Structures are given as C-alpha cells and as structure tokens.
Amino acid sequence: MNRKLLRWLGLAVRLGLAAVWLYAGGSKVGDLAASGRAVHAYQVLPYDASVVVGAVLPFVELALGVLLLLGLATRLAAGFSAALLLVFIAGIVSAWSRGLAIDCGCFGSGGELPAGQSPSYLPEILRDVGFLALAGFLLIWPRTAVSLDGALTGEPVEDNDE
C-alpha cells in the first residue's frame, strides 16, 4: 500500500477511534455517579475506588478522543487506547465468566441489569476487539493525513508518491 493511501486510511481510522472515545466519554460525563456505579457493577474494585475510576474515566476517554481528533500524540493516544480497551475487554470477560448480569456501561450509565434481562457480552467483546484493531493500526502507522503531528514535524499534508 502506498504511503499516501496509508495516511488517508490512517485518518479515517484515527477519526473513527476519536468518535468512539468522544461518544463514550460524552455519554458518561454528565452523570459521574452513574459511571462510578457502572464500574462498581464489575465487582473488581472496592466501592470508593470504583467511584474514583468512574469519575475519571469519562475525562480520559474525552482526552483520548480530542488527541485523536487533532492527530496530536497519535501513537501515544493509540497506545493508551489499546491499553484501556484491553482493560475493558478483560472486565467484560471477567463479568461474563463470573456470571454477572450487567450492562458494560461503555456508552452510558451501565450497571446491573434488571431481573430477566440478559447481558450481551460477546457482541461487546467483539466490538471492543474491533476498536482495539483500530488502535493497533495507529500504533503501527501513527502518521496520518491532516494531523497536528504532521504539522508540528513539518510533514507535507499530502505525499506525492503513488
């Protein structure tokens, strides 16, 4: 694949992952208490730690989204994205293996599901694996079209090679 095409594909990947983080963080930032309850539903951390993680997580997601949107520190943002997604996948697998009936809280309040409602763990895991693939792409090819990384390093907006 030529470099020009790779940079434009990278832009699409970067903007797609940015949209995921901005939506995820934006859906939680208005109710940090609910975000804390969603984290606590995984039954991995003590309640007080869950509240702190739940309060911080939306801002981390928003920060990653902004960095990726701007194309600033792309490889670093992709690395943090990959790490966070691995934690999310491990949490969902853990909840599933322990028989918990929870909503992941990935794009909203989350928490325990009402009686009789079944969790959808496999689609959530597969979705996060897809997002992890996007982060992996950016870890390998962080230089994308139309990015602050490129502007700060003096890279041209477009490559002339075919």
Side-chain angles (χ1 to χ4, degrees), residues 3-100:
R3 194 175 355 176
K4 182 178 181 179
L5 181 59
L6 198 58
R7 284 177 177 255
W8 286 103
L9 177 60
L11 173 64
V13 167
R14 196 184 86 224
L15 294 178
L17 192 55
V20 168
W21 288 130
L22 291 170
Y23 181 72
S27 68
K28 294 178 210 138
V29 77
D31 190 352
L32 298 179
S35 182
R37 288 190 300 274
V39 171
H40 186 65
Y42 284 88
Q43 299 177 15
V44 175
L45 299 171
Y47 181 76
D48 290 340
S50 297
V51 170
V52 171
V53 170
V56 170
L57 185 59
F59 297 101
V60 170
E61 292 170 336
L62 289 170
L64 289 171
V66 168
L67 287 172
L68 289 166
L69 182 67
L70 298 173
L72 182 62
T74 302
R75 182 172 274 155
L76 182 64
F80 275 103
S81 294
L84 197 52
L85 286 160
L86 287 170
V87 168
F88 291 168
I89 292 166
I92 295 168
V93 168
S94 172
W96 193 5
S97 69
R98 292 180 291 134
L100 300 178

Side-chain angles (χ1 to χ4, degrees), residues 91-136:
I92 295 168
V93 168
S94 172
W96 193 5
S97 69
R98 292 180 291 134
L100 300 178
I102 63 173
D103 178 322
C104 74
C106 303
F107 298 101
S109 58
E112 292 185 31
L113 292 173
Q117 193 173 352
S118 298
S120 57
Y121 294 129
L122 185 57
E124 291 169 353
I125 291 167
L126 294 175
R127 177 203 60 216
D128 285 355
V129 167
F131 297 154
L132 181 60
L134 297 179

